[in-house]
Amino acid sequence: MQLLVLPGDGIGPEITDATLRVLTATDRLLGLGLELETHDIGLKALAEEGTTLPRRVMERIPQVDGVVLGPVQHYDYPPRADGGINPSAELRTAFELFANVRPCRSHPDLSILRHPMDLVIVRENTEGFYSDRNMVAGTGEFMPDEDLALSVRKISAKACERIARAAFELARTRRKKVTAVHKANVVKLSDGLFLREVREVAADFPDVELEELIVDAAAALLVRRPHTFDVLVTTNMFGDILSDEASELSGSLGLGGSINAGHDICVGQAQHGSAPDIAGQGIANPTSLILSAAMLLDWLGTRHTAPALTEAAARIESAVGAALSDPATRTRDIGGSLGTAAFTDAVVAALDEEGGA
């Protein structure tokens, strides 16, 4: 099983190293036959090759089984014409990674919630208000003059249908409920189209309950009654915002895994950014990327009918949970005292202990 590893910017190399240690330990325990191949992207690649996303990397992605992508600092990149390509957006559009899947499960003594959270946000990944990825040429954001800026929101029936289907298929494996989050009371045409497609897909899943919520209410109810949600499906920007809210409510933005999946390619990517202010200090929490890599293994296990990969994902998640459950083995950002390497030691030790049980 070949995995392409792209460490990225800021804390990316540090949390990627931690993730590779966990993957290597899991491979040792279960004999997965993982082959890990690393390439530079981001600011390092820009300095050395004149582009943040070398062509050889893009050409390699369809040839491997999956990708582990570290956070990128694209806000600081130069214009695209000068080599400043946003790798995250480029991978999503070029390979039609239309589903951003973000589970949020609360940790009892880390969450501020009164009720437990165990939900998944399924976010459309390729259009919406994201102007760097919603046009075949040019950008969806432009300025007719220096005092007027316009932004185009692209919503297509195709994209809505396939993200809705992904959500319903996932819900069928969980508690069989989908909540469609929208703003059709204001953006009536675009979110109206989204709801139309969701309802049509829902007809194919009579065993799954469909709930519809305006995004304002959804944001509030994630706090008030998170335990009533199972799978939430929504458009790009709403999903981005709500998944960050849900992760923070569940314990920390740094604790949630995430994958970007298409029909044939999947990328495990941390939910958070590159945190350049703490880069190189050895204090970054690698949990999100570790869990994202576990989600990638689970996706590959399902796709290839490979139970060992599914088991590997479950073991990694369990080991991370064990480390997070003990205040003595938490990182500083969530009230512990450990740095990146020591926390990774704790996760690997939990893996070894579980493997020897």
Side-chain angles (χ1 to χ4, degrees), residues 179-229:
T179 301
V181 180
H182 64 92
K183 191 70 174 175
N185 57 323
V186 175
V187 280
K188 295 184 178 181
L189 293 180
S190 52
D191 268 10
L193 176 60
F194 168 72
L195 285 178
R196 185 194 80 185
E197 294 302 310
V198 171
R199 291 165 184 164
E200 289 184 4
V201 170
D204 295 334
F205 295 83
D207 55 322
V208 178
E209 175 190 355
L210 173 61
E211 174 186 44
E212 297 177 8
L213 275 181
I214 294 174
V215 64
D216 317 49
L221 293 175
L222 281 172
V223 180
R224 182 187 298 177
R225 56 169 179 85
H227 56 292
T228 66
F229 291 113

mmCIF file of all heavy atoms in Angstrom, residues 179-229:
data_model
loop_
_atom_site.group_PDB
_atom_site.id
_atom_site.type_symbol
_atom_site.label_atom_id
_atom_site.label_comp_id
_atom_site.label_asym_id
_atom_site.label_seq_id
_atom_site.Cartn_x
_atom_site.Cartn_y
_atom_site.Cartn_z
ATOM 1 N N THR A 179 -28.744 15.607 8.548
ATOM 2 C CA THR A 179 -29.224 16.975 8.699
ATOM 3 C C THR A 179 -28.643 17.808 7.570
ATOM 4 O O THR A 179 -27.418 17.947 7.456
ATOM 5 C CB THR A 179 -28.805 17.569 10.049
ATOM 6 O OG1 THR A 179 -29.321 16.762 11.106
ATOM 7 C CG2 THR A 179 -29.322 18.996 10.189
ATOM 8 N N ALA A 180 -29.498 18.349 6.707
ATOM 9 C CA ALA A 180 -29.068 19.209 5.611
ATOM 10 C C ALA A 180 -29.061 20.650 6.113
ATOM 11 O O ALA A 180 -30.100 21.179 6.532
ATOM 12 C CB ALA A 180 -30.004 19.073 4.420
ATOM 13 N N VAL A 181 -27.890 21.278 6.086
ATOM 14 C CA VAL A 181 -27.732 22.632 6.609
ATOM 15 C C VAL A 181 -27.675 23.611 5.438
ATOM 16 O O VAL A 181 -26.895 23.429 4.503
ATOM 17 C CB VAL A 181 -26.465 22.738 7.472
ATOM 18 C CG1 VAL A 181 -26.304 24.157 8.011
ATOM 19 C CG2 VAL A 181 -26.519 21.729 8.622
ATOM 20 N N HIS A 182 -28.475 24.682 5.520
ATOM 21 C CA HIS A 182 -28.642 25.578 4.370
ATOM 22 C C HIS A 182 -28.988 26.987 4.833
ATOM 23 O O HIS A 182 -29.103 27.262 6.032
ATOM 24 C CB HIS A 182 -29.777 25.051 3.486
ATOM 25 C CG HIS A 182 -31.109 25.074 4.196
ATOM 26 N ND1 HIS A 182 -31.971 26.151 4.114
ATOM 27 C CD2 HIS A 182 -31.698 24.174 5.040
ATOM 28 C CE1 HIS A 182 -33.045 25.919 4.858
ATOM 29 N NE2 HIS A 182 -32.911 24.725 5.422
ATOM 30 N N LYS A 183 -29.169 27.878 3.868
ATOM 31 C CA LYS A 183 -29.647 29.242 4.113
ATOM 32 C C LYS A 183 -30.635 29.607 3.010
ATOM 33 O O LYS A 183 -30.619 30.700 2.437
ATOM 34 C CB LYS A 183 -28.466 30.221 4.139
ATOM 35 C CG LYS A 183 -28.803 31.622 4.639
ATOM 36 C CD LYS A 183 -29.100 31.674 6.121
ATOM 37 C CE LYS A 183 -29.282 33.112 6.579
ATOM 38 N NZ LYS A 183 -29.691 33.200 8.001
ATOM 39 N N ALA A 184 -31.531 28.680 2.713
ATOM 40 C CA ALA A 184 -32.446 28.847 1.591
ATOM 41 C C ALA A 184 -33.476 29.939 1.824
ATOM 42 O O ALA A 184 -34.150 30.362 0.886
ATOM 43 C CB ALA A 184 -33.152 27.523 1.287
ATOM 44 N N ASN A 185 -33.585 30.404 3.055
ATOM 45 C CA ASN A 185 -34.494 31.518 3.315
ATOM 46 C C ASN A 185 -33.945 32.834 2.771
ATOM 47 O O ASN A 185 -34.684 33.796 2.574
ATOM 48 C CB ASN A 185 -34.758 31.653 4.811
ATOM 49 C CG ASN A 185 -33.486 31.840 5.621
ATOM 50 O OD1 ASN A 185 -32.456 31.248 5.314
ATOM 51 N ND2 ASN A 185 -33.552 32.655 6.661
ATOM 52 N N VAL A 186 -32.628 32.881 2.482
ATOM 53 C CA VAL A 186 -31.992 34.099 1.959
ATOM 54 C C VAL A 186 -31.402 33.854 0.574
ATOM 55 O O VAL A 186 -31.743 34.546 -0.383
ATOM 56 C CB VAL A 186 -30.902 34.607 2.928
ATOM 57 C CG1 VAL A 186 -30.166 35.802 2.321
ATOM 58 C CG2 VAL A 186 -31.511 34.989 4.273
ATOM 59 N N VAL A 187 -30.521 32.876 0.452
ATOM 60 C CA VAL A 187 -29.947 32.534 -0.852
ATOM 61 C C VAL A 187 -30.837 31.451 -1.469
ATOM 62 O O VAL A 187 -30.495 30.271 -1.485
ATOM 63 C CB VAL A 187 -28.465 32.107 -0.738
ATOM 64 C CG1 VAL A 187 -27.574 33.319 -0.620
ATOM 65 C CG2 VAL A 187 -28.223 31.188 0.456
ATOM 66 N N LYS A 188 -31.991 31.884 -1.930
ATOM 67 C CA LYS A 188 -33.061 30.962 -2.280
ATOM 68 C C LYS A 188 -32.750 30.103 -3.494
ATOM 69 O O LYS A 188 -33.114 28.926 -3.542
ATOM 70 C CB LYS A 188 -34.347 31.748 -2.519
ATOM 71 C CG LYS A 188 -34.857 32.449 -1.262
ATOM 72 C CD LYS A 188 -36.185 33.136 -1.498
ATOM 73 C CE LYS A 188 -36.694 33.779 -0.208
ATOM 74 N NZ LYS A 188 -38.005 34.445 -0.383
ATOM 75 N N LEU A 189 -32.069 30.658 -4.490
ATOM 76 C CA LEU A 189 -31.804 29.871 -5.693
ATOM 77 C C LEU A 189 -30.714 28.835 -5.463
ATOM 78 O O LEU A 189 -30.898 27.645 -5.753
ATOM 79 C CB LEU A 189 -31.423 30.796 -6.846
ATOM 80 C CG LEU A 189 -32.520 31.721 -7.360
ATOM 81 C CD1 LEU A 189 -31.980 32.584 -8.514
ATOM 82 C CD2 LEU A 189 -33.733 30.921 -7.825
ATOM 83 N N SER A 190 -29.561 29.262 -4.926
ATOM 84 C CA SER A 190 -28.438 28.338 -4.790
ATOM 85 C C SER A 190 -28.685 27.299 -3.694
ATOM 86 O O SER A 190 -28.500 26.087 -3.910
ATOM 87 C CB SER A 190 -27.136 29.092 -4.541
ATOM 88 O OG SER A 190 -27.280 30.001 -3.466
ATOM 89 N N ASP A 191 -29.125 27.719 -2.515
ATOM 90 C CA ASP A 191 -29.417 26.734 -1.490
ATOM 91 C C ASP A 191 -30.724 26.008 -1.761
ATOM 92 O O ASP A 191 -30.923 24.880 -1.288
ATOM 93 C CB ASP A 191 -29.439 27.395 -0.109
ATOM 94 C CG ASP A 191 -28.075 27.328 0.565
ATOM 95 O OD1 ASP A 191 -27.105 26.945 -0.115
ATOM 96 O OD2 ASP A 191 -27.969 27.645 1.759
ATOM 97 N N GLY A 192 -31.600 26.636 -2.534
ATOM 98 C CA GLY A 192 -32.790 25.917 -2.988
ATOM 99 C C GLY A 192 -32.410 24.740 -3.870
ATOM 100 O O GLY A 192 -32.990 23.654 -3.765
ATOM 101 N N LEU A 193 -31.428 24.954 -4.740
ATOM 102 C CA LEU A 193 -30.929 23.863 -5.583
ATOM 103 C C LEU A 193 -30.286 22.778 -4.730
ATOM 104 O O LEU A 193 -30.492 21.576 -4.956
ATOM 105 C CB LEU A 193 -29.928 24.418 -6.594
ATOM 106 C CG LEU A 193 -29.233 23.407 -7.508
ATOM 107 C CD1 LEU A 193 -30.244 22.638 -8.342
ATOM 108 C CD2 LEU A 193 -28.220 24.119 -8.405
ATOM 109 N N PHE A 194 -29.503 23.189 -3.745
ATOM 110 C CA PHE A 194 -28.880 22.226 -2.839
ATOM 111 C C PHE A 194 -29.931 21.358 -2.163
ATOM 112 O O PHE A 194 -29.827 20.119 -2.144
ATOM 113 C CB PHE A 194 -28.040 22.977 -1.794
ATOM 114 C CG PHE A 194 -27.581 22.143 -0.634
ATOM 115 C CD1 PHE A 194 -26.587 21.193 -0.789
ATOM 116 C CD2 PHE A 194 -28.146 22.307 0.630
ATOM 117 C CE1 PHE A 194 -26.152 20.410 0.279
ATOM 118 C CE2 PHE A 194 -27.730 21.543 1.706
ATOM 119 C CZ PHE A 194 -26.731 20.589 1.529
ATOM 120 N N LEU A 195 -30.976 21.982 -1.622
ATOM 121 C CA LEU A 195 -32.031 21.226 -0.939
ATOM 122 C C LEU A 195 -32.796 20.319 -1.890
ATOM 123 O O LEU A 195 -33.169 19.202 -1.533
ATOM 124 C CB LEU A 195 -32.993 22.182 -0.235
ATOM 125 C CG LEU A 195 -32.487 22.824 1.055
ATOM 126 C CD1 LEU A 195 -33.524 23.787 1.606
ATOM 127 C CD2 LEU A 195 -32.139 21.761 2.095
ATOM 128 N N ARG A 196 -33.005 20.791 -3.109
ATOM 129 C CA ARG A 196 -33.698 19.952 -4.092
ATOM 130 C C ARG A 196 -32.946 18.648 -4.312
ATOM 131 O O ARG A 196 -33.531 17.552 -4.321
ATOM 132 C CB ARG A 196 -33.835 20.706 -5.416
ATOM 133 C CG ARG A 196 -34.645 19.977 -6.480
ATOM 134 C CD ARG A 196 -34.465 20.609 -7.854
ATOM 135 N NE ARG A 196 -33.211 20.187 -8.482
ATOM 136 C CZ ARG A 196 -32.750 20.669 -9.652
ATOM 137 N NH1 ARG A 196 -33.438 21.620 -10.271
ATOM 138 N NH2 ARG A 196 -31.611 20.222 -10.153
ATOM 139 N N GLU A 197 -31.639 18.759 -4.470
ATOM 140 C CA GLU A 197 -30.837 17.558 -4.718
ATOM 141 C C GLU A 197 -30.770 16.661 -3.493
ATOM 142 O O GLU A 197 -30.820 15.430 -3.607
ATOM 143 C CB GLU A 197 -29.427 17.972 -5.168
ATOM 144 C CG GLU A 197 -29.395 18.667 -6.520
ATOM 145 C CD GLU A 197 -29.977 17.804 -7.626
ATOM 146 O OE1 GLU A 197 -29.569 16.620 -7.731
ATOM 147 O OE2 GLU A 197 -30.839 18.302 -8.370
ATOM 148 N N VAL A 198 -30.662 17.260 -2.303
ATOM 149 C CA VAL A 198 -30.633 16.458 -1.080
ATOM 150 C C VAL A 198 -31.933 15.668 -0.935
ATOM 151 O O VAL A 198 -31.926 14.472 -0.606
ATOM 152 C CB VAL A 198 -30.398 17.354 0.151
ATOM 153 C CG1 VAL A 198 -30.589 16.553 1.440
ATOM 154 C CG2 VAL A 198 -28.994 17.954 0.124
ATOM 155 N N ARG A 199 -33.062 16.318 -1.184
ATOM 156 C CA ARG A 199 -34.350 15.642 -1.048
ATOM 157 C C ARG A 199 -34.502 14.506 -2.050
ATOM 158 O O ARG A 199 -35.057 13.450 -1.726
ATOM 159 C CB ARG A 199 -35.479 16.660 -1.209
ATOM 160 C CG ARG A 199 -35.573 17.646 -0.054
ATOM 161 C CD ARG A 199 -36.435 18.842 -0.414
ATOM 162 N NE ARG A 199 -36.464 19.838 0.665
ATOM 163 C CZ ARG A 199 -36.872 21.094 0.502
ATOM 164 N NH1 ARG A 199 -37.280 21.509 -0.695
ATOM 165 N NH2 ARG A 199 -36.871 21.921 1.516
ATOM 166 N N GLU A 200 -33.992 14.711 -3.257
ATOM 167 C CA GLU A 200 -34.082 13.651 -4.261
ATOM 168 C C GLU A 200 -33.228 12.452 -3.870
ATOM 169 O O GLU A 200 -33.632 11.299 -4.044
ATOM 170 C CB GLU A 200 -33.666 14.195 -5.630
ATOM 171 C CG GLU A 200 -34.688 15.160 -6.236
ATOM 172 C CD GLU A 200 -34.310 15.614 -7.638
ATOM 173 O OE1 GLU A 200 -33.284 15.117 -8.172
ATOM 174 O OE2 GLU A 200 -35.031 16.463 -8.196
ATOM 175 N N VAL A 201 -32.055 12.711 -3.325
ATOM 176 C CA VAL A 201 -31.212 11.610 -2.859
ATOM 177 C C VAL A 201 -31.869 10.918 -1.672
ATOM 178 O O VAL A 201 -31.837 9.684 -1.555
ATOM 179 C CB VAL A 201 -29.802 12.125 -2.487
ATOM 180 C CG1 VAL A 201 -28.999 11.035 -1.771
ATOM 181 C CG2 VAL A 201 -29.061 12.583 -3.735
ATOM 182 N N ALA A 202 -32.470 11.688 -0.786
ATOM 183 C CA ALA A 202 -33.121 11.113 0.395
ATOM 184 C C ALA A 202 -34.177 10.082 0.019
ATOM 185 O O ALA A 202 -34.397 9.099 0.752
ATOM 186 C CB ALA A 202 -33.749 12.229 1.234
ATOM 187 N N ALA A 203 -34.814 10.273 -1.114
ATOM 188 C CA ALA A 203 -35.836 9.320 -1.560
ATOM 189 C C ALA A 203 -35.257 7.933 -1.816
ATOM 190 O O ALA A 203 -35.967 6.932 -1.757
ATOM 191 C CB ALA A 203 -36.517 9.850 -2.817
ATOM 192 N N ASP A 204 -33.950 7.877 -2.095
ATOM 193 C CA ASP A 204 -33.282 6.588 -2.315
ATOM 194 C C ASP A 204 -32.866 5.922 -1.010
ATOM 195 O O ASP A 204 -32.370 4.794 -1.022
ATOM 196 C CB ASP A 204 -32.034 6.780 -3.189
ATOM 197 C CG ASP A 204 -32.372 7.245 -4.601
ATOM 198 O OD1 ASP A 204 -33.488 6.967 -5.063
ATOM 199 O OD2 ASP A 204 -31.500 7.894 -5.233
ATOM 200 N N PHE A 205 -33.057 6.623 0.116
ATOM 201 C CA PHE A 205 -32.646 6.101 1.420
ATOM 202 C C PHE A 205 -33.810 6.214 2.404
ATOM 203 O O PHE A 205 -33.763 6.988 3.369
ATOM 204 C CB PHE A 205 -31.435 6.885 1.942
ATOM 205 C CG PHE A 205 -30.183 6.726 1.130
ATOM 206 C CD1 PHE A 205 -29.977 7.495 -0.015
ATOM 207 C CD2 PHE A 205 -29.208 5.807 1.502
ATOM 208 C CE1 PHE A 205 -28.821 7.353 -0.774
ATOM 209 C CE2 PHE A 205 -28.045 5.669 0.754
ATOM 210 C CZ PHE A 205 -27.855 6.428 -0.394
ATOM 211 N N PRO A 206 -34.875 5.459 2.188
ATOM 212 C CA PRO A 206 -36.063 5.578 3.052
ATOM 213 C C PRO A 206 -35.797 5.205 4.499
ATOM 214 O O PRO A 206 -36.585 5.567 5.391
ATOM 215 C CB PRO A 206 -37.064 4.621 2.397
ATOM 216 C CG PRO A 206 -36.222 3.656 1.624
ATOM 217 C CD PRO A 206 -35.043 4.434 1.135
ATOM 218 N N ASP A 207 -34.707 4.494 4.750
ATOM 219 C CA ASP A 207 -34.365 4.092 6.116
ATOM 220 C C ASP A 207 -33.594 5.157 6.872
ATOM 221 O O ASP A 207 -33.292 4.987 8.064
ATOM 222 C CB ASP A 207 -33.544 2.798 6.086
ATOM 223 C CG ASP A 207 -32.300 2.917 5.214
ATOM 224 O OD1 ASP A 207 -32.372 3.574 4.155
ATOM 225 O OD2 ASP A 207 -31.242 2.354 5.585
ATOM 226 N N VAL A 208 -33.255 6.275 6.194
ATOM 227 C CA VAL A 208 -32.477 7.347 6.821
ATOM 228 C C VAL A 208 -33.356 8.582 6.978
ATOM 229 O O VAL A 208 -33.964 9.055 6.018
ATOM 230 C CB VAL A 208 -31.222 7.693 5.984
ATOM 231 C CG1 VAL A 208 -30.449 8.849 6.631
ATOM 232 C CG2 VAL A 208 -30.320 6.466 5.843
ATOM 233 N N GLU A 209 -33.407 9.117 8.180
ATOM 234 C CA GLU A 209 -34.193 10.320 8.462
ATOM 235 C C GLU A 209 -33.504 11.549 7.882
ATOM 236 O O GLU A 209 -32.280 11.696 7.987
ATOM 237 C CB GLU A 209 -34.352 10.487 9.965
ATOM 238 C CG GLU A 209 -35.060 11.773 10.387
ATOM 239 C CD GLU A 209 -34.999 12.024 11.883
ATOM 240 O OE1 GLU A 209 -34.494 11.152 12.614
ATOM 241 O OE2 GLU A 209 -35.442 13.109 12.315
ATOM 242 N N LEU A 210 -34.273 12.449 7.277
ATOM 243 C CA LEU A 210 -33.756 13.723 6.781
ATOM 244 C C LEU A 210 -34.314 14.860 7.621
ATOM 245 O O LEU A 210 -35.527 15.009 7.769
ATOM 246 C CB LEU A 210 -34.128 13.953 5.315
ATOM 247 C CG LEU A 210 -33.778 15.346 4.754
ATOM 248 C CD1 LEU A 210 -32.271 15.599 4.813
ATOM 249 C CD2 LEU A 210 -34.308 15.500 3.329
ATOM 250 N N GLU A 211 -33.416 15.667 8.161
ATOM 251 C CA GLU A 211 -33.751 16.893 8.880
ATOM 252 C C GLU A 211 -33.161 18.063 8.103
ATOM 253 O O GLU A 211 -32.078 17.945 7.545
ATOM 254 C CB GLU A 211 -33.159 16.846 10.297
ATOM 255 C CG GLU A 211 -33.308 18.130 11.099
ATOM 256 C CD GLU A 211 -32.582 18.074 12.436
ATOM 257 O OE1 GLU A 211 -31.416 17.598 12.455
ATOM 258 O OE2 GLU A 211 -33.154 18.503 13.447
ATOM 259 N N GLU A 212 -33.873 19.194 8.056
ATOM 260 C CA GLU A 212 -33.360 20.380 7.372
ATOM 261 C C GLU A 212 -33.263 21.524 8.377
ATOM 262 O O GLU A 212 -34.214 21.799 9.111
ATOM 263 C CB GLU A 212 -34.276 20.766 6.211
ATOM 264 C CG GLU A 212 -34.351 19.699 5.135
ATOM 265 C CD GLU A 212 -35.318 20.050 4.012
ATOM 266 O OE1 GLU A 212 -35.821 21.204 3.992
ATOM 267 O OE2 GLU A 212 -35.580 19.177 3.155
ATOM 268 N N LEU A 213 -32.090 22.181 8.417
ATOM 269 C CA LEU A 213 -31.866 23.262 9.372
ATOM 270 C C LEU A 213 -31.198 24.448 8.688
ATOM 271 O O LEU A 213 -30.256 24.265 7.905
ATOM 272 C CB LEU A 213 -30.962 22.800 10.513
ATOM 273 C CG LEU A 213 -31.575 22.087 11.718
ATOM 274 C CD1 LEU A 213 -30.472 21.756 12.709
ATOM 275 C CD2 LEU A 213 -32.638 22.942 12.385
ATOM 276 N N ILE A 214 -31.657 25.649 9.008
ATOM 277 C CA ILE A 214 -30.952 26.857 8.580
ATOM 278 C C ILE A 214 -29.630 26.919 9.328
ATOM 279 O O ILE A 214 -29.539 26.537 10.500
ATOM 280 C CB ILE A 214 -31.824 28.098 8.851
ATOM 281 C CG1 ILE A 214 -33.068 28.063 7.951
ATOM 282 C CG2 ILE A 214 -31.045 29.386 8.630
ATOM 283 C CD1 ILE A 214 -34.062 29.158 8.217
ATOM 284 N N VAL A 215 -28.588 27.394 8.682
ATOM 285 C CA VAL A 215 -27.237 27.332 9.228
ATOM 286 C C VAL A 215 -27.121 28.053 10.572
ATOM 287 O O VAL A 215 -26.371 27.610 11.457
ATOM 288 C CB VAL A 215 -26.208 27.867 8.206
ATOM 289 C CG1 VAL A 215 -26.435 29.352 7.902
ATOM 290 C CG2 VAL A 215 -24.790 27.621 8.679
ATOM 291 N N ASP A 216 -27.845 29.153 10.756
ATOM 292 C CA ASP A 216 -27.796 29.863 12.035
ATOM 293 C C ASP A 216 -28.238 28.948 13.173
ATOM 294 O O ASP A 216 -27.603 28.884 14.232
ATOM 295 C CB ASP A 216 -28.720 31.085 12.015
ATOM 296 C CG ASP A 216 -28.649 31.887 10.729
ATOM 297 O OD1 ASP A 216 -28.731 31.281 9.650
ATOM 298 O OD2 ASP A 216 -28.517 33.124 10.815
ATOM 299 N N ALA A 217 -29.354 28.261 12.941
ATOM 300 C CA ALA A 217 -29.882 27.347 13.949
ATOM 301 C C ALA A 217 -28.933 26.179 14.177
ATOM 302 O O ALA A 217 -28.732 25.736 15.320
ATOM 303 C CB ALA A 217 -31.256 26.844 13.526
ATOM 304 N N ALA A 218 -28.353 25.671 13.101
ATOM 305 C CA ALA A 218 -27.420 24.552 13.236
ATOM 306 C C ALA A 218 -26.232 24.935 14.113
ATOM 307 O O ALA A 218 -25.793 24.159 14.967
ATOM 308 C CB ALA A 218 -26.941 24.102 11.862
ATOM 309 N N ALA A 219 -25.712 26.150 13.916
ATOM 310 C CA ALA A 219 -24.575 26.603 14.716
ATOM 311 C C ALA A 219 -24.939 26.666 16.198
ATOM 312 O O ALA A 219 -24.140 26.293 17.067
ATOM 313 C CB ALA A 219 -24.113 27.976 14.230
ATOM 314 N N ALA A 220 -26.165 27.126 16.485
ATOM 315 C CA ALA A 220 -26.601 27.210 17.878
ATOM 316 C C ALA A 220 -26.870 25.839 18.469
ATOM 317 O O ALA A 220 -26.497 25.551 19.622
ATOM 318 C CB ALA A 220 -27.854 28.077 17.966
ATOM 319 N N LEU A 221 -27.485 24.958 17.696
ATOM 320 C CA LEU A 221 -27.873 23.650 18.216
ATOM 321 C C LEU A 221 -26.692 22.702 18.376
ATOM 322 O O LEU A 221 -26.786 21.718 19.122
ATOM 323 C CB LEU A 221 -28.943 23.033 17.323
ATOM 324 C CG LEU A 221 -30.286 23.788 17.341
ATOM 325 C CD1 LEU A 221 -31.257 23.175 16.339
ATOM 326 C CD2 LEU A 221 -30.894 23.799 18.735
ATOM 327 N N LEU A 222 -25.577 22.996 17.708
ATOM 328 C CA LEU A 222 -24.364 22.227 17.977
ATOM 329 C C LEU A 222 -23.930 22.409 19.424
ATOM 330 O O LEU A 222 -23.319 21.515 20.022
ATOM 331 C CB LEU A 222 -23.224 22.663 17.041
ATOM 332 C CG LEU A 222 -23.261 22.109 15.621
ATOM 333 C CD1 LEU A 222 -22.181 22.775 14.767
ATOM 334 C CD2 LEU A 222 -23.079 20.596 15.609
ATOM 335 N N VAL A 223 -24.259 23.555 19.998
ATOM 336 C CA VAL A 223 -23.950 23.818 21.398
ATOM 337 C C VAL A 223 -25.033 23.252 22.313
ATOM 338 O O VAL A 223 -24.750 22.592 23.308
ATOM 339 C CB VAL A 223 -23.809 25.335 21.650
ATOM 340 C CG1 VAL A 223 -23.480 25.615 23.119
ATOM 341 C CG2 VAL A 223 -22.741 25.931 20.746
ATOM 342 N N ARG A 224 -26.293 23.493 21.945
ATOM 343 C CA ARG A 224 -27.400 23.140 22.841
ATOM 344 C C ARG A 224 -27.721 21.655 22.830
ATOM 345 O O ARG A 224 -27.948 21.043 23.887
ATOM 346 C CB ARG A 224 -28.657 23.912 22.458
ATOM 347 C CG ARG A 224 -29.832 23.624 23.386
ATOM 348 C CD ARG A 224 -31.112 24.245 22.900
ATOM 349 N NE ARG A 224 -31.033 25.702 22.848
ATOM 350 C CZ ARG A 224 -32.024 26.484 22.395
ATOM 351 N NH1 ARG A 224 -33.129 25.921 21.918
ATOM 352 N NH2 ARG A 224 -31.887 27.789 22.394
ATOM 353 N N ARG A 225 -27.781 21.037 21.646
ATOM 354 C CA ARG A 225 -28.173 19.622 21.586
ATOM 355 C C ARG A 225 -27.313 18.849 20.585
ATOM 356 O O ARG A 225 -27.816 18.266 19.637
ATOM 357 C CB ARG A 225 -29.654 19.493 21.238
ATOM 358 C CG ARG A 225 -30.128 20.171 19.958
ATOM 359 C CD ARG A 225 -31.550 19.702 19.627
ATOM 360 N NE ARG A 225 -32.145 20.277 18.441
ATOM 361 C CZ ARG A 225 -31.979 19.819 17.210
ATOM 362 N NH1 ARG A 225 -31.174 18.786 16.975
ATOM 363 N NH2 ARG A 225 -32.607 20.389 16.187
ATOM 364 N N PRO A 226 -26.012 18.807 20.801
ATOM 365 C CA PRO A 226 -25.131 18.100 19.853
ATOM 366 C C PRO A 226 -25.437 16.617 19.745
ATOM 367 O O PRO A 226 -25.172 15.999 18.704
ATOM 368 C CB PRO A 226 -23.733 18.333 20.435
ATOM 369 C CG PRO A 226 -23.974 18.580 21.892
ATOM 370 C CD PRO A 226 -25.256 19.341 21.958
ATOM 371 N N HIS A 227 -25.999 16.036 20.800
ATOM 372 C CA HIS A 227 -26.273 14.600 20.820
ATOM 373 C C HIS A 227 -27.388 14.200 19.865
ATOM 374 O O HIS A 227 -27.573 13.007 19.601
ATOM 375 C CB HIS A 227 -26.645 14.167 22.238
ATOM 376 C CG HIS A 227 -27.810 14.911 22.821
ATOM 377 N ND1 HIS A 227 -27.743 16.253 23.135
ATOM 378 C CD2 HIS A 227 -29.065 14.513 23.149
ATOM 379 C CE1 HIS A 227 -28.909 16.647 23.636
ATOM 380 N NE2 HIS A 227 -29.731 15.610 23.647
ATOM 381 N N THR A 228 -28.115 15.172 19.311
ATOM 382 C CA THR A 228 -29.214 14.832 18.400
ATOM 383 C C THR A 228 -28.762 14.779 16.943
ATOM 384 O O THR A 228 -29.553 14.445 16.064
ATOM 385 C CB THR A 228 -30.363 15.850 18.532
ATOM 386 O OG1 THR A 228 -29.917 17.131 18.073
ATOM 387 C CG2 THR A 228 -30.825 15.958 19.972
ATOM 388 N N PHE A 229 -27.508 15.125 16.676
ATOM 389 C CA PHE A 229 -26.998 15.090 15.307
ATOM 390 C C PHE A 229 -26.264 13.780 15.035
ATOM 391 O O PHE A 229 -25.634 13.200 15.921
ATOM 392 C CB PHE A 229 -26.025 16.252 15.055
ATOM 393 C CG PHE A 229 -26.674 17.606 15.039
ATOM 394 C CD1 PHE A 229 -26.390 18.539 16.030
ATOM 395 C CD2 PHE A 229 -27.563 17.961 14.034
ATOM 396 C CE1 PHE A 229 -26.964 19.793 16.018
ATOM 397 C CE2 PHE A 229 -28.154 19.214 14.014
ATOM 398 C CZ PHE A 229 -27.863 20.136 15.006
#
